[in-house]
């Protein structure tokens, strides 16, 4: 069974973490189950909204201490209780009091390695632009902590002037580290930025050819001029008698070279002829029927880390026995990818992807049919 992804929301009390989570819930597909692990007393009304939501399968609190410090030893038991009682699609940990959750992130990674039940998907720090005074320490310790911060969300910026927001950006820049930043829209961030592609969300991104736009992006973009992100859809198709999957070496070069301040998320379903390797060095093979060459995998890239999760056998047209019966002009899906980028980055990366050096079939010269479209 695929490990449960964990997303950490951190930031000082009142920065807007719970509001971000509340605005995330309506974006989730039907049947998706979130489990919430809280480390603070929140507003009673908001907690009631969370508990009443059909998308929240369970809420658990760790009180009388900081989950990043003296309560870190209780994290494993709390996660296991949620896993057994809720069977969640994802666990969100909401913590307060420490905007640099390095200890918590390392503990999640340790528990994930030892149990195989969890994987850290992302660490989000929420900043209240109106009241934030900057980091007290910008020395070595703070920089080490910031390596475990994937995304800084600037919240409540609408009520202040542009100079105040620029000051916040400068204070983040004082750390001299590559950290992705984004402004919320009245406490809302698109789920495609906050969440990676897990097994439950992958059901809404079935690999196919007839529809070039993933289901998760079929919505109105009339307010796209106000968006803080841009989105590309990448489709690679094989045609003819080819049984080839994606070129994993080129794909890994893309994943390694993607800058964290330009690309926020890469989500894909790929067909591969051998198990692809995640950024931690693991390569889990999918189970396929005898005689089948390729398998499907879910790729989830977030802020420099990535995982491949096996989904099972590829579509029937990739079976050796069926090849001769197929129309040679039939397109076979190899990659269906969504790339979420920072503002003003889409056109540059569209050209790079279209050059064919990043997403391509294995064993050229037989090239696949690559299509890159800008969705937002």
């Amino acid at each position: 069974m695929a490990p449960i992804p964990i997303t950490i929301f951190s930031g000082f009390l009142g920065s807007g973490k719970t509001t971000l989570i509340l605005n995330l819930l309506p974006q989730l597909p039907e049947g998706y189950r979130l489990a919430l692990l809280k480390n603070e007393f929140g507003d009673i009304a908001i907690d009631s909204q969370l508990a009443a939501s059909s998308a929240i399968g369970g809420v658990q609190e760790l009180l009388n201490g900081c989950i990043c410090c003296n309560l870190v030893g209780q994290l494993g038991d709390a996660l296991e209780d949620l896993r057994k009682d809720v069977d969640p699609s994802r666990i969100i940990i909401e913590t307060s009091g420490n905007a640099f959750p390095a200890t918590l992130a390392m503990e999640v990674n340790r528990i994930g390695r030892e149990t195989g039940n969890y994987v850290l998907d992302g660490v989000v720090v929420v900043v209240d632009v109106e009241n934030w005074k900057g980091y007290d320490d910008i020395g070595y310790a703070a920089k080490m902590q910031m390596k475990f911060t994937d995304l800084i969300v600037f919240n409540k910026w609408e009520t202040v002037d542009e100079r105040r927001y620029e000051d916040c950006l400068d204070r983040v820049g004082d750390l001299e580290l590559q950290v992705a930043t984004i402004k919320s829209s009245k406490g809302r961030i698109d789920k495609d930025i906050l969440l990676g592609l897990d097994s439950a969300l992958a059901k809404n991104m079935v690999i196919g050819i007839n529809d070039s736009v993933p289901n998760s992006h079929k919505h109105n973009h009339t307010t796209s001029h106000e968006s803080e992100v841009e989105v590309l859809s990448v489709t690679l198709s094989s045609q003819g008698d080819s049984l080839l999957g994606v070129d994993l070496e080129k794909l890994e070069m893309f994943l390694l070279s993607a800058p964290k301040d330009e690309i926020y998320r890469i989500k894909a379903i790929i067909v591969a002829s051998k198990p692809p390797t995640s950024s931690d060095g693991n390569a889990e093979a999918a189970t396929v029927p005898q005689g089948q060459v390729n398998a499907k995998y879910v790729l989830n890239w977030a802020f420099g880390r990535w995982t491949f999760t096996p989904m099972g056998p590829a579509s029937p047209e990739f079976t050796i026995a069926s090849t001769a019966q197929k129309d040679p002009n039939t397109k076979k899906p190899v990659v269906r990818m969504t790339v979420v980028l920072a503002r003003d980055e889409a056109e540059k990366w569209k050209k790079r992807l279209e050059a064919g050096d990043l997403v391509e079939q294995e064993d050229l010269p037989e090239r696949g049919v690559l299509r890159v479209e800008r969705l937002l």
Side-chain angles (χ1 to χ4, degrees):
M1 181 176 294
I4 300 169
I6 294 177
T7 304
I8 298 173
F9 283 78
S10 186
F12 295 105
L13 186 65
S15 59
K17 302 182 300 297
T18 304
T19 300
L20 279 176
I21 296 172
L22 283 172
N23 288 332
L24 176 65
L25 299 181
Q27 304 179 55
L28 299 175
E30 185 177 355
Y32 194 90
R33 296 182 306 280
L34 274 182
L36 179 64
L37 179 59
K38 292 173 62 69
N39 184 218
E40 63 178 353
F41 287 106
D43 180 86
I44 295 177
I46 292 179
D47 286 345
S48 297
Q49 292 180 59
L50 286 170
S53 171
S54 60
I56 294 290
V59 179
Q60 186 163 336
E61 292 181 321
L62 287 179
L63 305 175
N64 302 319
C66 176
I67 196 173
C68 301
C69 305
N70 59 310
L71 292 182
V72 70
Q74 302 178 27
L75 179 63
D77 292 338
L79 292 176
E80 186 65 10
D81 288 343
L82 288 173
R83 186 182 73 85
K84 290 181 177 179
D85 297 341
V86 180
D87 186 24
S89 306
R90 176 180 299 266
I91 296 174
I92 286 181
I93 301 177
E94 180 185 351
T95 181
S96 184
N98 184 355
F100 301 119
T103 305
L104 178 58
M106 288 188 287
E107 183 67 3
V108 169
N109 284 331
R110 182 191 68 80
I111 296 171
R113 287 193 304 268
E114 292 182 357
T115 66
N117 293 329
Y118 315 99
V119 60
L120 180 63
D121 179 55
V123 179
V124 180
V125 169
V126 184
V127 168
D128 176 359
V129 172
E130 187 175 10
N131 299 299
W132 191 51
K133 304 301 181 184
Y135 299 111
D136 294 332
D137 172 26
I138 60 172
Y140 175 78
K143 291 181 180 181
M144 286 299 294
Q145 294 276 9
M146 282 297 289
K147 287 184 178 180
F148 289 88
T149 298
D150 297 315
L151 177 68
I152 295 178
V153 174
F154 289 113
N155 209 21
K156 305 180 183 178
W157 59 272
E158 297 94 341
T159 59
V160 300
D161 57 31
E162 188 67 19
R163 177 61 183 270
R164 179 76 183 110
Y165 170 66
E166 294 293 337
D167 286 344
C168 289
L169 280 178
D170 290 342
R171 287 168 184 147
V172 171
D174 289 340
L175 292 173
E176 299 177 344
L177 289 174
Q178 187 185 64
V179 180
T181 63
I182 191 170
K183 292 192 290 187
S184 71
S185 177
K186 297 181 179 178
R188 183 188 184 279
I189 297 289
D190 193 288
K191 71 171 176 34
D192 290 324
I193 302 172
L194 295 178
L195 306 184
L197 186 63
D198 53 55
S199 57
L201 292 176
K203 294 177 181 178
N204 282 358
M205 191 179 174
V206 178
I207 192 163
I209 293 300
N210 295 330
D211 182 8
S212 63
V213 180
N215 293 341
S216 60
H217 287 287
K218 288 183 178 178
H219 48 76
N220 192 333
H221 289 311
T222 56
T223 59
S224 61
H225 63 284
E226 299 175 356
S227 176
E228 288 295 311
V229 300
E230 298 173 347
V231 179
L232 295 177
S233 172
V234 182
T235 304
L236 176 65
S237 308
S238 174
Q239 59 183 353
D241 293 335
S242 173
L243 296 171
L244 303 177
V246 67
D247 187 319
L248 292 176
E249 184 175 344
K250 288 188 175 182
L251 180 60
E252 183 175 353
M253 289 178 60
F254 174 36
L255 302 179
L256 282 169
S257 63
K260 293 187 289 184
D261 57 347
E262 295 182 13
I263 298 179
Y264 295 150
R265 293 274 185 180
I266 302 172
K267 312 176 186 187
I269 298 175
I270 71 167
V271 172
S273 61
K274 61 182 180 180
T277 303
S278 300
S279 57
D280 61 2
N282 290 328
E284 182 181 354
T287 302
V288 298
Q290 184 176 4
Q292 186 146 345
V293 176
N294 294 289
K296 284 192 296 187
Y297 297 85
V298 173
L299 164 63
N300 179 37
W301 184 100
F303 315 105
R305 301 185 306 270
W306 69 89
T307 58
F308 286 99
T309 304
M311 291 185 69
S315 49
E317 56 264 32
F318 278 92
T319 306
I320 293 176
S322 65
T323 303
Q325 304 170 12
K326 296 295 178 180
D327 184 343
N329 296 316
T330 299
K331 294 180 180 179
K332 307 178 185 69
V334 177
V335 174
R336 165 62 63 83
M337 177 183 291
T338 299
V339 184
V340 183
L341 309 99
R343 180 185 285 181
D344 300 327
E345 297 292 342
E347 288 305 315
K348 176 179 70 177
W349 281 97
K350 184 175 184 291
K351 292 178 181 178
R352 290 188 182 181
L353 288 163
E354 288 174 334
D357 295 328
L358 301 176
V359 180
E360 187 54 90
Q361 275 186 199
E362 59 185 346
D363 296 332
L364 293 174
E366 184 171 355
R367 302 182 66 89
V369 179
L370 181 67
R371 182 169 56 192
V372 183
E373 296 179 277
R374 181 170 175 178
L375 304 182
L376 177 62

